[in-house]
Amino acid sequence: MAYSTKKGLLLYNVYRTLTYALSPLIRLHLRWRISRGLDHRCRWPERLGRPSLPRRPGPLVWFHAVSLGEGMAAIPVIRECVRKMPNVNVLMTITTMSAFEVLRNWLPSEIIFQFSPLDTPSSIDSFLRYWKPKAIILMESELWPNLIMRASQNGITLALLNARMSEKSFEVWSRPVLLPLISLMLSKFSLIAPLSTEQGIRFQLLQAPPAIISFSGDLKYVIEDFGVNGRGGKSIDDLRLQLAHKQVWMASSIHRGEEENLIAVILGVHTTLMQLQPNILIIIVPRHPQHGREIAKKLEKEGQNVILRSQHKKLKPETNIYVVDTLGELRHLYMLTPIAVIGGSFLPGSTGHNISEAASAGCAVLTGCHIGHFSHMVLEMQRLNPLSVLQVSGKMELEKTLIQLFTNATLLEAHRKAAKEAFSRLSSDIVTNTVLNGGFIQEKS
């Protein structure tokens, strides 16, 4: 056995011992999260590896994603898995409440849906012992030592789809003391499908076997349109009619930490735009519903004409700000606006956010310059057409760009068309390529 492998195993045993010893504290932290509404009050035992649903007979494939974006990116592959292997059970786990609230309504009925187990020895062992998966498909950056090592020891096939490693994480894992552990973990995978060539290089530098790295494309390009039903569908249609005689733009995916600076910038720009277009309205969509309610309350105190989406009120003639505090509607809201400014990209250290949903809806896409692991998406779209994504560095540039778009219909249409065409080209064949690369999905006989 190579020295680096021995050192990796030693580090893993240290990690396993620590997580075992700290399990009581981890459980206390879980209870704190429940009290804050960050974990489900009734289904929290699932986080300890305790199932709430029966294990059906037959082989099972486990897909795991942390949050809503990763979960939605997994669904096209899950549907293909169900289509190609109708006799195989599919289990999906998520971590965040927002993902749970949205995905439970849109997953195929035959999919088993649970919260993910914590990466403690007892939780992972209990989970694997009950569900007995034949393959585990992890999304993006879910590299947990107990999960990966115990799965490998049980002969379970491992794949990492849409694989990414942030610059900060890469620096941490590259340190001599941790490199043997990450190298050992990556050696247990049968497939690593990176988001981009740059991400693939990072995994190779962390000593992932080159033969298992295969680029298929970014699955976030093929996130499905789940549609809205019932009251949600009528509400979107009603809002579309109310916006018919207004000029509209959107600021979406506003992250906590951005609101003071970015919201101030957005409102400043919006005030300037109102002087040119008195009937203009901005739709503000924060990342989390509670954050939206906080923003609306603050704006109301400042005397702004605000409507909160969850209140289902009709727009008044003087309404110029519409704050969204609901989940699962962003793709449909993009259909209501010709211009989308994507948040999570305006402060140093930001990681960017998915721009493909806005592009697929035919919006003119604007983003900040701090785009982190979404830089590949911006660069790919700009390479196909420079008009597809516009990057702005601050208030003056954002204001100038928006004025140009609102006062030049030909320019606006060119940007909208470029975004939609770039998205269309980049989204083709991704699921097919992922399936062909993944040994966990096989053609029906």
Side-chain angles (χ1 to χ4, degrees):
M1 183 181 295
Y3 172 75
S4 60
T5 302
K6 288 183 178 180
K7 190 172 182 181
L9 284 171
L10 175 62
L11 289 169
Y12 167 63
N13 287 328
V14 170
Y15 174 87
R16 184 173 174 82
T17 300
L18 282 173
T19 50
Y20 179 80
L22 294 174
S23 290
L25 292 178
I26 294 172
R27 292 190 182 196
L28 284 175
H29 180 67
L30 176 62
R31 291 189 176 277
W32 175 83
R33 285 178 56 85
I34 294 167
S35 70
R36 296 289 297 271
L38 301 175
D39 269 293
H40 202 286
R41 287 188 175 276
C42 298
R43 300 184 63 164
W44 62 266
E46 295 172 23
R47 301 283 278 141
L48 302 178
R50 302 171 188 169
S52 62
L53 293 171
R55 204 297 192 180
R56 303 167 191 158
L60 180 142
V61 175
W62 170 20
F63 284 80
H64 171 60
V66 176
S67 59
L68 183 57
E70 292 90 337
M72 292 174 70
I75 288 179
V77 181
I78 290 175
R79 291 190 188 279
E80 190 69 359
C81 181
V82 171
R83 186 181 73 83
K84 289 182 175 291
M85 300 188 301
N87 297 321
V88 171
N89 298 302
V90 176
L91 164 69
M92 184 175 187
T93 62
I94 46 80
T95 300
T96 66
M97 285 289 291
S98 59
F100 173 79
E101 293 296 336
V102 175
L103 294 179
R104 66 175 177 172
N105 296 320
W106 300 116
L107 281 172
S109 59
E110 62 268 36
I111 305 304
I112 305 166
F113 193 38
Q114 299 275 277
F115 280 97
S116 62
L118 297 168
D119 197 54
T120 63
S122 60
S123 298
I124 293 297
D125 288 347
S126 175
F127 190 92
L128 295 179
R129 187 165 52 247
Y130 182 82
W131 293 108
K132 298 182 176 63
K134 294 293 183 183
I136 301 174
I137 318 303
L138 305 177
M139 299 299 297
E140 297 209 6
S141 55
E142 285 298 272
L143 297 171
W144 293 101
N146 282 321
L147 168 58
I148 292 169
M149 295 302 296
R150 292 298 290 161
S152 176
Q153 290 164 7
N154 282 279
I156 302 169
T157 300
L158 285 159
L160 184 64
L161 303 187
N162 257 30
R164 65 174 176 85
M165 178 77 63
S166 70
E167 186 174 346
K168 183 177 180 180
S169 296
F170 177 72
E171 289 175 358
V172 170
W173 283 117
S174 297
R175 294 171 184 169
V177 68
L178 292 177
L179 184 58
L181 176 58
I182 189 66
S183 174
L184 177 66
M185 289 163 58
L186 295 177
S187 72
K188 305 303 180 183
F189 284 85
S190 298
L191 170 69
I192 296 176
L195 277 174
S196 63
T197 301
E198 178 186 3
Q199 290 291 335
I201 292 171
R202 286 184 181 177
F203 281 99
Q204 288 195 49
L205 291 174
L206 293 175
Q207 301 180 1
I212 69 172
I213 298 176
S214 182
F215 179 71
S216 302
D218 189 345
L219 286 166
K220 286 189 174 176
Y221 283 122
V222 291
I223 289 176
E224 297 178 351
D225 184 354
F226 297 142
V228 287
N229 52 25
R231 183 177 180 181
K234 185 177 184 302
S235 180
I236 290 288
D237 291 339
D238 287 346
L239 182 58
R240 180 181 287 107
L241 290 174
Q242 294 177 61
L243 294 174
H245 301 294
K246 285 186 173 288
Q247 297 280 358
V248 184
W249 66 292
M250 179 190 290
S252 66
S253 301
I254 308 299
H255 288 225
R256 284 196 178 275
E258 282 187 321
E259 63 266 28
E260 287 192 15
N261 293 324
L262 184 55
I263 293 296
V265 167
I266 286 171
L267 291 179
V269 172
H270 192 56
T271 300
T272 301
L273 292 173
M274 283 192 294
Q275 296 171 0
L276 299 172
Q277 306 276 358
N279 67 335
I280 199 164
L281 178 141
I282 181 172
I283 302 173
I284 298 176
V285 189
R287 283 278 285 158
H288 300 289
Q290 181 58 37
H291 188 196
R293 292 186 277 274
E294 293 169 4
I295 290 174
K297 187 175 181 180
K298 181 179 179 181
L299 294 177
E300 286 174 347
K301 287 182 178 179
E302 295 173 358
Q304 299 287 348
N305 294 309
V306 182
I307 283 185
L308 196 61
R309 176 149 181 77
S310 63
Q311 295 175 349
H312 302 289
K313 294 180 179 178
K314 295 288 185 181
L315 298 182
K316 300 175 182 178
E318 64 271 21
T319 301
N320 56 64
I321 301 175
Y322 190 85
V323 179
V324 176
D325 61 336
T326 54
L327 288 169
E329 295 186 300
L330 185 56
R331 290 176 68 88
H332 303 279
L333 292 168
Y334 280 134
M335 300 294 289
L336 307 180
T337 177
I339 302 170
V341 179
I342 314 297
S345 60
F346 287 89
L347 294 179
S350 299
T351 57
H353 200 71
N354 186 6
I355 63 173
S356 68
E357 292 176 309
S360 69
C363 296
V365 180
L366 287 76
T367 185
C369 297
H370 305 283
I371 50 178
H373 57 261
F374 286 96
S375 59
H376 74 282
M377 188 177 281
V378 172
L379 292 173
E380 284 175 342
M381 291 186 65
Q382 289 179 334
R383 176 178 53 81
L384 290 173
N385 191 323
L387 297 180
S388 62
V389 184
L390 294 168
Q391 287 185 272
V392 294
S393 58
K395 180 179 184 295
M396 295 297 292
E397 194 172 359
L398 177 61
E399 184 177 289
K400 178 182 176 181
T401 303
L402 286 170
I403 289 173
Q404 289 176 337
L405 294 174
F406 274 116
T407 58
N408 188 330
T410 302
L411 179 64
L412 175 58
E413 182 58 29
H415 281 285
R416 297 183 69 181
K417 183 179 180 182
K420 193 156 191 172
E421 289 180 351
F423 167 82
S424 180
R425 289 180 61 182
L426 289 168
S427 62
S428 61
D429 299 327
I430 290 176
V431 174
T432 300
N433 292 338
T434 301
V435 169
L436 290 174
N437 289 332
F440 52 90
I441 298 179
Q442 300 176 1
E443 294 287 349
K444 291 182 287 187
S445 60

